[in-house]
Amino acid sequence: MDLMAQKQAEWRWGLVGNIIGEHEFGENRDIYYGTKHFSSGTKVYCAPAQWGDGYENIVVIGKPRHSFKYIEIVMSSNMIENFRLQKVYKPAVLKKMADENSWGFWGNTDEDKAAILDMRLQSEGFGLVSKECVWLSFATDSFLFGKIKFYSWADLENPDVFNEVQLSLKK
């Protein structure tokens, strides 16, 4: 494994949340704690948006009620609270995130961090500026990693590129 691959495996950015506590369910409005799979307060690691449903359903990784092994399921975002950005270090979670059949979890780049912050802030767009470049991500592109716009400072010296960036920020 080369150095870059090792660094990728050490940690990843993740959107994490906790399973809600007490909530009503069903016609009789019975009180339940947590969900069928997770106890209330369980930390879950959320995948990027998958279906263009406005993040109503989320692929999550978490420890279920009656097992010590992490599972990966699709669940309603209404059952998750306290969303936040975190670095993920747990080897078992990282292994599930990196699985080739996985749902495209974020990596450990600045672009990945920006995409998660975009979702977390529920903004229309997000920009990240560094010494090397500018990244722009927009809700209209579902904050998808492949649609993040990247501009080096040299690119921005071109008036056409600069105007394109300026127009996209005014939308």
Side-chain angles (χ1 to χ4, degrees):
M1 182 183 288
D2 66 352
L3 186 59
M4 187 63 172
Q6 283 179 332
K7 186 171 175 85
Q8 284 287 94
E10 288 177 10
W11 64 274
R12 286 176 179 250
W13 288 112
L15 179 63
V16 300
N18 298 93
I19 301 299
I20 64 170
E22 183 178 298
H23 63 96
E24 295 177 350
F25 183 78
E27 290 180 13
N28 296 334
R29 298 191 174 263
D30 297 329
I31 300 295
Y32 284 89
Y33 300 89
T35 67
K36 175 180 176 181
H37 296 288
F38 300 113
S39 303
S40 61
T42 299
K43 181 190 254 185
V44 290
Y45 303 86
C46 306
Q50 302 294 321
W51 304 281
D53 66 351
Y55 221 48
E56 289 181 21
N57 294 299
I58 306 175
V59 176
V60 298
I61 296 172
K63 277 191 182 176
R65 287 181 179 269
H66 305 294
S67 176
F68 294 107
K69 292 186 177 186
Y70 284 92
I71 62 170
E72 189 173 319
I73 65 166
V74 177
M75 65 183 303
S76 172
S77 61
N78 295 338
M79 297 291 129
I80 304 171
E81 62 186 2
N82 193 22
F83 286 99
R84 60 205 178 273
L85 171 73
Q86 279 190 350
K87 288 184 176 178
V88 179
Y89 292 97
K90 292 187 181 285
V93 175
L94 291 172
K95 184 176 179 187
K96 275 215 169 284
M97 288 178 165
D99 183 12
E100 66 184 47
N101 297 322
S102 181
W103 295 91
F105 283 86
W106 294 283
N108 61 8
T109 66
D110 289 338
E111 295 99 335
D112 295 321
K113 181 178 182 180
I116 294 169
L117 288 172
D118 279 339
M119 291 180 64
R120 175 65 184 103
L121 296 172
Q122 298 179 344
S123 63
E124 292 185 22
F126 191 84
L128 182 65
V129 179
S130 73
K131 291 181 194 177
E132 296 82 21
C133 58
V134 175
W135 291 277
L136 298 175
S137 178
F138 297 97
T140 54
D141 295 328
S142 300
F143 300 116
L144 293 174
F145 176 75
K147 294 194 176 187
I148 293 175
K149 295 180 175 138
F150 166 85
Y151 303 95
S152 71
W153 292 111
D155 292 339
L156 292 173
E157 290 176 10
N158 179 332
D160 294 332
V161 173
F162 185 82
N163 287 336
E164 175 189 329
V165 170
Q166 193 174 29
L167 287 173
S168 67
L169 293 174
K170 287 183 179 179
K171 291 181 182 177

